[in-house]
Amino acid sequence: MELLVFFEKWIWLGFAAIGFAILFNVPLRTLWVIFLMGALGGALKLFIMKLGGGIIIGSFFGAVLVGILSIGAGHYKHSPPFVFAIPSVIPMVPGAFAYRMMLGLVRLTNNTDQTTFSQLLNDTVDNGLKAFFVLLVLALGVSTPMLITRQQSAKNIKVPLKKDR
Amino acid sequence: MEHSDEEKNSELCKLLLEVGSLLMGSGANSARIRITIQRIANAYGYDAELLITHRALMLSVYNDEKDFFVSRLKRTLPHGANFKMVSGISRMSWQIVDEKWNLAQVRQEIVRLKTVAHYPRLVTLSMVALAGASFCRLFGGGYMEVMVAFVATFIGLFVRQEAAKKAFNPYLCIYFAALTSSLIAGLPVKLNLGAHPDYAFATSVLYLIPGIPLINSMSDLLDGNIMNGMVRGINGLIIAFAIAMGLLSAILTYNI
């Protein structure tokens, strides 16, 4: 039963990545790879969050997985890795936190009651910090393979499954 | 001979700037633009230096041996995501290096890439709506909420595309879309339908999140392109502000 729920989430994560991939007009040949990468990255994030890692650490490892897979996918499908990586991590982007922070900031301007104000300030700062740090670790995670191998172009990174052009 | 050489150089500069501006307009980060331009310039035996800003590119192409130097400036295209373009240009840059393309071939390929079709509108609308529904499901919504999120996303994206066609300010387009989506998703909250109508309300605007500006902003900052990173980040924040304004308008309308 637990596994079934997990599998269902896996599929929804994939569709979320695909939706954004189509919005960003990616080449057709990369779509199913993005589905897999989005699902795997998102599943790893949910798994780590379930282990008690929190959203920031979860997002980081999810993004690292996506980053590593994107290098292989780039070689395999002849596209720049970030074409795969960005749609795959978009479902992890803390959009909900970012606009809750904005909503909080707007509400703070017309609230004078002391207790509501401090409660709202708490929530706004919490949401804003989470949005910022999740975003930071997503960008860091996606570029991890490049940072570690110290290459400027993913083409110079040796990948086992590489086929000849 | 001298004349044709000069024409060639000027054509090369034009092409390099065209490539840079296309990349900037299609959602590539600054490091990718710089690497691609330098790769193409090196393939023709020149060095290139680039000043990248959000709205314009400045390029100097030079060759010390031939005592050649030229600078040019070009405005970038309006920003929007088009990864077919980024992928196509990246492939082209390697073909230029590996297969020694001449400038006419490059020009032809750029013209071809510009005409490559987007996905059909209905496909885009339904897949993005499906993504919105997926978000709602992941948040824990039931069938009712998933349906609401699907419809809200579908119509909201439609409104955004129509507003963009009418050439409204891009942030205003996003405001319209956020307002439409949250008005649709807010109705079940107002009428108290379903188990958790607020899940659909919270996820109905997720398709508008400025993912590319924010991720590119961070990768530019990590890469040392602090100015570009800040500009892109502020662009992303204004988009988030537009979304929040749309949501707030709907909340005030329904008084929920």
Side-chain angles (χ1 to χ4, degrees):
Chain A
M1 189 60 209
E2 186 91 338
L3 207 67
L4 200 69
V5 172
F6 197 68
F7 187 68
E8 194 208 335
K9 282 200 169 172
W10 203 82
I11 290 178
W12 290 118
L13 283 165
F15 276 125
I18 285 281
F20 279 101
I22 290 200
L23 192 62
F24 300 155
N25 198 28
V26 301
L28 195 60
R29 63 179 190 279
T30 62
L31 271 182
W32 67 270
V33 183
I34 292 174
F35 182 94
L36 279 181
M37 281 170 50
L40 287 174
L44 183 61
K45 172 190 154 185
L46 290 180
F47 184 65
I48 289 177
M49 280 172 72
K50 197 154 205 174
L51 292 182
I55 189 163
I56 294 171
I57 296 178
S59 302
F60 176 69
F61 283 106
V64 169
L65 182 65
V66 167
I68 293 171
L69 289 177
S70 75
I71 301 288
H75 277 281
Y76 181 56
K77 290 279 174 193
H78 301 312
S79 279
F82 94 100
V83 168
F84 302 93
I86 290 192
S88 306
V89 297
I90 288 276
M92 292 188 244
V93 167
F97 291 119
Y99 70 62
R100 264 184 224 148
M101 177 197 74
M102 275 294 174
L103 216 55
L105 286 179
V106 173
R107 280 183 172 160
L108 278 177
T109 56
N110 62 4
N111 208 318
T112 43
D113 181 9
Q114 188 62 44
T115 42
T116 2
F117 188 88
S118 48
Q119 177 61 35
L120 210 51
L121 192 65
N122 262 348
D123 290 349
T124 307
V125 171
D126 179 44
N127 285 325
L129 284 179
K130 267 188 190 145
F132 179 74
F133 277 102
V134 171
L135 206 60
L136 188 75
V137 296
L138 283 185
L140 197 66
V142 165
S143 47
T144 303
M146 308 297 263
L147 295 173
I148 289 178
T149 54
R150 286 168 290 153
Q151 299 288 350
Q152 286 217 310
S153 168
K155 209 162 165 90
N156 303 329
I157 300 175
K158 294 277 181 290
V159 175
L161 58 75
K162 187 185 178 189
K163 291 193 288 190
D164 280 326
R165 282 168 60 88
Chain B
M1 188 65 195
E2 186 65 50
H3 183 65
S4 104
D5 236 24
E6 216 158 72
E7 269 181 359
K8 240 191 200 167
N9 293 333
S10 136
E11 171 74 1
L12 176 65
C13 292
K14 274 187 203 157
L15 281 174
L16 287 176
L17 278 174
E18 179 91 39
V19 166
S21 125
L22 284 172
L23 281 177
M24 192 68 177
S26 309
N29 61 16
S30 305
R32 168 160 297 278
I33 298 172
R34 181 165 285 127
I35 290 168
T36 308
I37 297 275
Q38 275 172 348
R39 184 185 299 152
I40 297 177
N42 289 343
Y44 290 107
Y46 293 97
D47 280 327
E49 294 294 342
L50 203 55
L51 172 67
I52 302 171
T53 68
H54 206 57
R55 300 301 293 270
L57 295 175
M58 190 172 148
L59 173 80
S60 289
V61 174
Y62 61 94
N63 182 331
D64 286 335
E65 285 168 26
K66 291 188 200 161
D67 197 23
F68 169 76
F69 182 92
V70 65
S71 285
R72 263 175 190 272
L73 202 64
K74 184 177 168 66
R75 271 185 65 182
T76 59
L77 297 169
H79 287 231
N82 182 356
F83 282 4
K84 272 184 190 163
M85 178 67 82
V86 178
S87 178
I89 286 181
S90 165
R91 278 182 132 186
M92 183 184 81
S93 75
W94 284 108
Q95 273 163 333
I96 291 171
V97 174
D98 294 339
E99 296 165 23
K100 309 247 178 295
W101 280 15
N102 60 33
L103 292 176
Q105 275 174 304
V106 178
R107 168 66 69 190
Q108 222 174 6
E109 176 72 4
I110 288 178
V111 171
R112 189 188 73 79
L113 283 174
K114 275 187 188 166
T115 58
V116 169
H118 281 238
Y119 286 98
R121 192 170 182 191
L122 204 61
V123 172
T124 312
L125 284 172
S126 17
M127 287 311 284
V128 175
L130 188 59
S134 308
F135 276 126
C136 186
R137 182 69 196 156
L138 286 170
F139 264 54
Y143 294 106
M144 174 75 188
E145 287 83 42
V146 168
M147 286 292 285
V148 169
F150 186 90
V151 173
T153 306
F154 193 95
I155 298 178
L157 186 61
F158 179 80
V159 167
R160 182 184 174 184
Q161 289 177 340
E162 286 300 314
K165 263 189 205 162
K166 297 237 171 1
F168 277 104
N169 177 299
Y171 302 121
L172 207 57
C173 293
I174 288 171
Y175 170 75
F176 289 151
L179 179 62
T180 315
S181 291
S182 45
L183 278 180
I184 293 170
L187 203 58
V189 181
K190 181 73 179 170
L191 302 177
N192 223 343
L193 297 171
H196 297 283
D198 48 316
Y199 288 162
F201 188 69
T203 49
S204 62
V205 293
L206 279 183
Y207 66 100
L208 292 167
I209 51 175
I212 293 188
L214 291 178
I215 290 183
N216 272 342
S217 155
M218 278 301 166
S219 58
D220 273 8
L221 287 175
L222 286 176
D223 210 51
N225 298 311
I226 308 284
M227 279 291 251
N228 284 328
M230 278 173 9
V231 171
R232 288 182 203 258
I234 286 176
N235 180 30
L237 279 184
I238 299 175
I239 293 175
F241 180 68
I243 300 172
M245 275 304 177
L247 268 180
L248 195 72
S249 306
I251 289 173
L252 292 178
T253 311
Y254 285 134
N255 198 14
I256 44 182

